Amino acid sequence: MRPHLLLTAEPVQGLRSVDDVRRHICGGYCRQLWERLLRDAEGDRTAAPLTPRSMVPGRAAKPAESANRDYHIVAAAGARITRAALIALITDDVQHLDPALSQLASLFDENDWPDWRDLAHLYGHSDLRTGMFGQAIGLAYDWAYGLLTDEQRRWIVEGLDRCAIQPYLRSVEAGDWFTVIKPGHMNNWHTVVVGGMGVAGMALADDHPQSQMLIDHANRLMEAYWQVFGEEGEFNESPGYANAIGKPVEYWTCHRYHTRGRSNRLAQPPLPQACDWLLHQYLPPGRVAAYGDTHVDAVPRWSFFAPMADATGNGVLQAVFEHLTAQAAWSDTTIGDLLSYNPAMSATSPEGRLPLGRAFHGHSACITSRTSWDLRTTECVVYGKAGHGREGHGNHDAGQLCIDAHARRLITDPGILHYPPDFFGANRYRYYNASCRGHNVLMFDDAEMRTGEQHKARIVASEFDDARGGWWTIDLTDMYDDVHRVRRTVVHLTPGTVAVLDEAMLIGDQDVSLRWHTVDTAQADAQGRFTVRGGEAQAVCRVARLDDGPIAFAQRQHAYEAPFDKDRLGYPLEQKHESYIDATLRGGRCRLLSLFQTGRADEPISAWEARSDGHHIETPDGPRTVVVAADHITVSDPGAQRTWRVTLPDLLER
């Protein structure tokens, strides 16, 4: 009986029926989502079908000029189809199907869409776009089934078979890597392609002779996919790519409906733990920690928080979902938002329910310490990572540290770039976004960090206290060649005092560089003092060498240099000229102390002063003091009598 994916034709305990949705959209948050969906559909009836040359919001001009089947155009075309099908179903008005039928006619026309693969993915029989279209068209077929004629159904099944199912089955037969269960090497390709075609199989059911094959293969692979998560829910790719968690959530939600509620995989590990991990990567007012291939200012697409909140009874996920959907118009995910959002569930603030600081040890080993769980703004968030040499969509950034204040980036990460053709090969680290040159870490003799999962940075120790902040020490030795020991210790004293101690013992004298990327073009003086300003926030900073020897400071900017300055379609990469402070020295060992005091841009904060008893700064909330001895670092707030005293392991000890 159709529909049976994401909503049911008749009441089923624990699932939403068409009539349930019709009631929900009469008021409250569901009404807002429904009205957004209708607004998105306003121009669809009169608009020409989307083709690979069409411009849509968020799409760059160059992929359109190249007629590429990139994510943006495929998502937009799929959204137009599913949007029309759902509106037609909910309103019981067949006229709303016209945009979907028109778009499908274009997709099935080889003159408009000669191939459903991305131009950068022509090495397999199918690709990400195949899975995206397979899922979108499958859902639309299920929802619009009762409004379609027999001839229209046959036409859709034939077109989907020719353009997606058979190419995909050729991929399965050929053993294309994304169709194979390979421990340790599964990613979003598996879930998007195989999961998407599994949803298509559920949708077509008896209308296609190979539907069950699609479902069975997807079930096996999607169950095996759980191995990519760490013990505490850590995702095996960069936080920005953790949007991909939404694909298994979508798949198993569809499977739950397909089995009429007999199967509910969402409430079982590792998905609840993965959502917890992801929450700790959240940054106000609506961003995600920008390690690896992550868009630094993009609102994360965590639509899957709605079905996860419903499946687990977690009101914090509900609150974050509502906040993020208000931040950005996710036109290509509004349907999922509407159908999975439970209006009977109360949103709950994370304040007082989640710890303000936490260290995760799996995969990238992400760490955060914040002053509050206000989703809109907080005085300071300090976030960093350990990591290893083969992170999924990761960079040479082990030990990375960034600082936000008052919902503004200050000490930053450059994030993603438009992928060059050789980015996932030997030349990846020629691009500063991936190189340790583009991160706030130590670099020795201009050499890259080691590549390979066996090379790991590890969190030696950490401690968090909601009243004081947190600290952590990372051993980075295994990430470098020609070193005896490299360690980084970070101390955050709330609200906005941050001390970073970098210690290194090298094999022979080497050129040492420590870079701090700033959201503005901050300039350092001869004493290593600089101030970073970003909107309503500022950070007063200083870098000091604690061991004997000179140190120099310079303000520099990144640039892509030929021949490593083109994207995968051959167009010049955007030169953003990210700015950084470069502290340089030469020697066989070093001890560098970096100090940061955050605050509002209009607050009077003095410069960091070096005295015989440590470093001092005056803030509107009183003085702060940082003292570094041979075996410990102390960061204190004398007025409030709050102190972190962190023991430092001897550099000769492992």
Side-chain angles (χ1 to χ4, degrees):
M1 182 176 291
R2 294 182 175 91
H4 76 301
L5 298 181
L6 302 186
L7 74 172
T8 64
E10 60 191 21
V12 176
Q13 181 65 34
L15 305 182
R16 286 178 185 77
S17 68
V18 174
D19 286 340
D20 289 333
V21 175
R22 286 170 178 159
R23 285 194 303 272
H24 293 163
I25 63 175
C26 291
Y29 196 68
C30 284
R31 181 176 180 84
Q32 296 178 37
L33 294 173
W34 175 250
E35 289 176 346
R36 180 185 294 179
L37 182 64
L38 294 178
R39 286 196 302 271
D40 289 341
E42 282 178 0
D44 289 351
R45 284 200 181 189
T46 57
L50 296 171
T51 74
R53 294 190 181 277
S54 300
M55 285 298 297
V56 295
R59 191 186 196 199
K62 293 169 184 175
E65 294 171 5
S66 300
N68 189 27
R69 286 79 64 176
D70 64 354
Y71 168 83
H72 293 285
I73 191 60
V74 172
R80 181 175 290 187
I81 293 167
T82 53
R83 191 161 53 221
L86 183 64
I87 293 173
L89 171 65
I90 299 302
T91 61
D92 195 25
D93 184 350
V94 70
Q95 294 184 73
H96 287 290
L97 276 181
D98 290 346
L101 297 173
S102 176
Q103 184 61 58
L104 285 168
S106 176
L107 286 174
F108 297 154
D109 186 340
E110 293 185 356
N111 293 315
D112 285 355
W113 292 80
D115 197 321
W116 283 8
R117 294 173 298 171
D118 193 300
L119 289 174
H121 305 159
L122 298 180
Y123 41 77
H125 298 281
S126 58
D127 79 335
L128 292 169
R129 315 308 169 219
T130 313
M132 291 171 67
F133 274 139
Q135 178 166 317
I137 297 171
L139 290 174
Y141 183 82
D142 179 67
W143 298 339
Y145 190 88
L147 298 172
L148 295 168
T149 66
D150 289 342
E151 183 179 350
Q152 288 171 328
R153 293 175 195 146
R154 286 193 295 270
W155 171 68
I156 293 173
V157 173
E158 188 280 329
L160 186 56
D161 178 76
R162 173 171 46 84
C163 298
I165 295 176
Q166 294 311 314
Y168 168 72
L169 291 177
R170 287 194 289 272
S171 282
V172 174
E173 184 179 0
D176 286 348
W177 66 270
F178 50 87
T179 68
V180 177
I181 298 172
K182 189 175 182 182
H185 297 278
M186 299 180 72
N187 58 32
N188 62 295
W189 276 68
H190 293 85
T191 57
V192 172
V193 183
V194 180
M197 297 309 298
V199 172
M202 295 180 211
L204 299 185
D206 292 341
D207 292 353
H208 193 284
Q210 293 167 300
S211 287
Q212 195 59 46
M213 183 187 303
L214 300 177
I215 299 169
D216 291 343
H217 185 64
N219 282 345
R220 288 192 299 271
L221 186 141
M222 297 296 281
E223 187 64 38
Y225 180 73
W226 301 133
Q227 67 187 288
V228 308
F229 293 90
E231 292 183 1
E232 299 173 278
E234 303 95 335
F235 191 51
N236 71 331
E237 300 188 59
S238 63
Y241 262 77
N243 293 336
I245 296 173
K247 300 312 293 184
V249 171
E250 290 173 9
Y251 180 82
W252 290 113
T253 302
C254 287
H255 190 265
R256 181 185 180 191
Y257 276 77
H258 182 63
T259 61
R260 298 180 66 80
R262 293 189 297 273
S263 170
N264 181 9
R265 192 64 178 79
L266 302 187
Q268 303 173 39
L271 280 175
Q273 293 77 10
C275 290
D276 188 54
W277 171 82
L278 201 50
L279 282 171
H280 284 274
Q281 314 314 312
Y282 172 84
L283 304 170
R287 293 182 286 108
V288 65
Y291 315 126
D293 295 348
T294 298
H295 295 281
V296 293
D297 286 319
V299 177
R301 294 173 179 259
W302 295 349
S303 293
F304 57 92
F305 273 22
M308 286 303 300
D310 184 39
T312 61
N314 189 331
V316 170
L317 297 181
Q318 186 91 332
V320 175
F321 165 79
E322 290 181 3
H323 174 69
L324 291 177
T325 53
Q327 296 290 306
W330 297 344
S331 60
D332 60 334
T333 56
T334 299
I335 290 172
D337 302 343
L338 175 65
L339 297 183
S340 59
Y341 177 78
N342 182 355
M345 185 174 183
S346 298
T348 306
S349 169
E351 197 71 56
R353 292 173 174 82
L354 296 177
L356 296 179
R358 185 165 176 186
F360 292 86
H361 295 79
H363 294 308
S364 297
C366 298
I367 315 164
T368 50
S369 178
R370 65 187 73 223
T371 54
S372 79
W373 270 107
D374 188 324
L375 297 176
R376 293 167 179 78
T377 186
T378 190
E379 290 183 79
C380 184
V381 184
V382 184
Y383 49 107
K385 62 185 292 292
H388 58 80
R390 196 181 180 278
E391 295 176 28
H393 285 281
N395 297 330
H396 277 173
D397 62 350
Q400 173 72 331
L401 187 83
C402 298
I403 302 172
D404 287 13
H406 300 286
R408 296 286 186 169
R409 292 187 295 121
L410 293 173
I411 301 299
T412 69
D413 186 299
I416 199 172
L417 75 161
H418 292 292
Y419 294 137
D422 54 354
F423 188 71
F424 293 103
N427 291 327
R428 180 182 181 90
Y429 304 106
R430 298 277 191 166
Y431 303 92
Y432 65 81
N433 302 71
S435 166
C436 60
R437 296 193 308 274
H439 296 89
N440 307 318
V441 298
L442 287 169
M443 192 172 191
F444 306 113
D445 274 349
D446 203 34
E448 285 297 329
M449 290 182 177
R450 289 172 168 173
T451 300
E453 193 167 353
Q454 72 275 21
H455 302 299
K456 296 183 178 181
R458 59 189 183 91
I459 302 171
V460 176
S462 63
E463 184 180 354
F464 301 93
D465 178 354
D466 284 0
R468 289 183 292 165
W471 66 268
W472 56 90
T473 296
I474 301 174
D475 189 319
L476 295 152
T477 306
D478 286 346
M479 300 306 302
Y480 295 97
D481 293 316
D482 301 322
V483 302
H484 289 297
R485 191 75 67 243
V486 181
R487 286 201 181 102
R488 164 167 280 187
T489 297
V490 179
V491 184
H492 173 212
L493 181 68
T494 57
T497 306
V498 185
V500 183
L501 180 64
D502 287 301
E503 303 174 287
M505 182 177 292
L506 312 177
I507 298 175
D509 286 354
Q510 298 183 41
D511 291 326
V512 179
S513 170
L514 172 62
R515 304 177 180 201
W516 291 108
H517 291 75
T518 60
V519 74
D520 64 356
T521 54
Q523 301 280 342
D525 65 15
Q527 285 73 49
R529 297 175 298 196
F530 58 98
T531 298
V532 185
R533 293 183 174 84
E536 297 79 23
Q538 66 170 324
V540 177
C541 319
R542 183 168 192 172
V543 180
R545 184 175 185 181
L546 302 184
D547 56 324
D548 294 333
I551 184 170
F553 303 96
Q555 185 271 339
R556 307 186 195 281
Q557 295 182 0
H558 287 295
Y560 302 110
E561 299 180 357
F564 308 106
D565 61 346
K566 303 290 192 304
D567 68 15
R568 62 187 182 182
L569 297 179
Y571 295 103
L573 293 169
E574 179 186 0
Q575 297 283 7
K576 296 183 178 180
H577 301 295
E578 287 98 336
S579 180
Y580 61 95
I581 300 296
D582 195 8
T584 57
L585 59 95
R586 184 168 180 80
R589 63 183 302 164
C590 66
R591 213 171 190 219
L592 299 176
L593 177 64
S594 301
L595 301 167
F596 307 89
Q597 180 62 49
T598 67
R600 295 190 180 278
D602 57 357
E603 288 181 328
I605 303 176
S606 68
W608 286 96
E609 292 184 29
R611 302 175 187 169
S612 59
D613 61 344
H615 286 80
H616 301 261
I617 193 169
E618 292 292 334
T619 79
D621 298 321
R624 303 289 185 268
T625 301
V626 178
V627 178
V628 182
D631 62 350
H632 70 271
I633 177 173
T634 301
V635 182
S636 61
D637 170 4
Q641 298 182 333
R642 296 178 308 137
T643 299
W644 280 117
R645 189 181 190 277
V646 178
T647 300
L648 300 170
D650 191 294
L651 273 182
L652 295 178
E653 297 179 357
R654 183 62 173 169

